[in-house]
Amino acid sequence: MKKKIGGVIVEITEGNITKQPDVEAVVNAANAQLRTGGGVAGAIHRASGPELAEACRDFAPIKTGEAVITDAFDLNNDYVIHCLGPVYGVDRPEDQYLAKTYKNALKIAEENNIKSIAFPSISTGAFGYPIKQAAVTALRTVKSSLKDLQSIEKIRFVLFSRSDYKIYKDTMNSILNLEE
Ligand code: ADP
């Protein structure tokens, strides 16, 4: 589903973050060391190639909520924005850290004049954040950021399963008050 709000398209889609060739930047749900691993980070590093780990080395470690940007190398995008979401139950208050993570990713995209960006569901895999709560914070943060965006014209959430997609879709309908 998608909706245009104040000139910005917000989309929710089911899919793989490494298969989004029509966006300029993809967001990596990274680890502090910016290394490959499981989940999103593993998929992005595999698709981007070994140069990505090389490019990340100078930036690591990053702190919870921080975001850094690199080239996307063999991915069909221009940039990867690596950010570190909160570990649920550890980085408290989790909702504030998760909001900060989305805000910093959008901020670095704006600083690089990026027009389109795709997010995975940050922190809801290895970091254990309950998907419904994460969706609420992600969509509230995007909603409150829309008015400040200058370069970004499209924000996409890429959900890896049908059930996660449905949760984000329902949350988007209630938070952004949208129809499909
Ligand atoms: P975190 O460590 O921030 O929890 P993960 O990568 O473990 O990050 O998972 C974040 C979310 O991304 C989970 O909901 C997971 O199902 C999903 N995910 C895993 N692989 C991919 C992928 N290739 N594309 C999009 N989403 C993915």
Side-chain angles (χ1 to χ4, degrees):
M1 70 180 290
K2 74 166 104 172
K3 187 73 183 178
K4 200 167 186 175
I5 310 156
V8 181
I9 293 170
V10 182
E11 288 181 351
I12 311 266
T13 184
E14 185 185 346
N16 189 322
I17 195 70
T18 65
K19 305 261 163 58
Q20 308 297 321
D22 58 330
V23 296
E24 262 182 85
V26 289
V27 174
N28 182 11
N31 48 67
Q33 297 301 328
L34 302 177
R35 296 204 182 110
T36 185
V40 170
I44 285 183
H45 277 269
R46 277 194 301 278
S48 177
E51 283 173 298
L52 187 66
E54 186 83 20
C56 283
R57 206 164 293 153
D58 292 341
F59 294 110
I62 62 168
K63 297 198 184 90
T64 307
E66 283 184 351
V68 298
I69 189 166
T70 66
D71 195 285
F73 300 102
D74 290 347
L75 272 167
N76 286 321
N77 311 98
D78 294 333
Y79 302 99
V80 177
I81 295 173
H82 310 260
C83 55
L84 183 62
V87 176
Y88 196 78
V90 175
D91 299 314
R92 294 190 166 121
E94 292 93 339
D95 59 337
Q96 286 181 29
Y97 274 115
L98 190 61
K100 185 178 173 190
T101 307
Y102 279 98
K103 278 185 205 153
N104 280 333
L106 291 171
K107 182 165 173 261
I108 207 163
E110 285 278 312
E111 286 165 1
N112 286 274
N113 212 23
I114 286 166
K115 290 191 173 62
S116 50
I117 182 168
F119 283 96
S121 178
I122 295 169
S123 285
T124 60
F127 286 0
Y129 211 119
I131 186 86
K132 173 75 190 167
Q133 287 178 46
V136 168
T137 297
L139 287 156
R140 275 196 186 138
T141 305
V142 162
K143 185 184 181 187
S144 68
S145 302
L146 290 176
K147 60 181 185 319
D148 302 321
L149 302 179
Q150 304 284 329
S151 64
I152 296 173
E153 295 168 358
K154 187 194 282 186
I155 299 171
R156 177 180 297 156
F157 287 92
V158 180
L159 286 317
F160 208 41
S161 70
R162 192 74 195 160
S163 60
D164 287 358
Y165 168 78
K166 281 188 178 146
I167 288 168
Y168 265 71
K169 191 180 90 153
D170 291 347
T171 308
M172 180 152 153
N173 273 326
S174 62
I175 287 182
L176 302 182
N177 195 22
L178 302 175
E179 302 301 325
E180 202 167 353

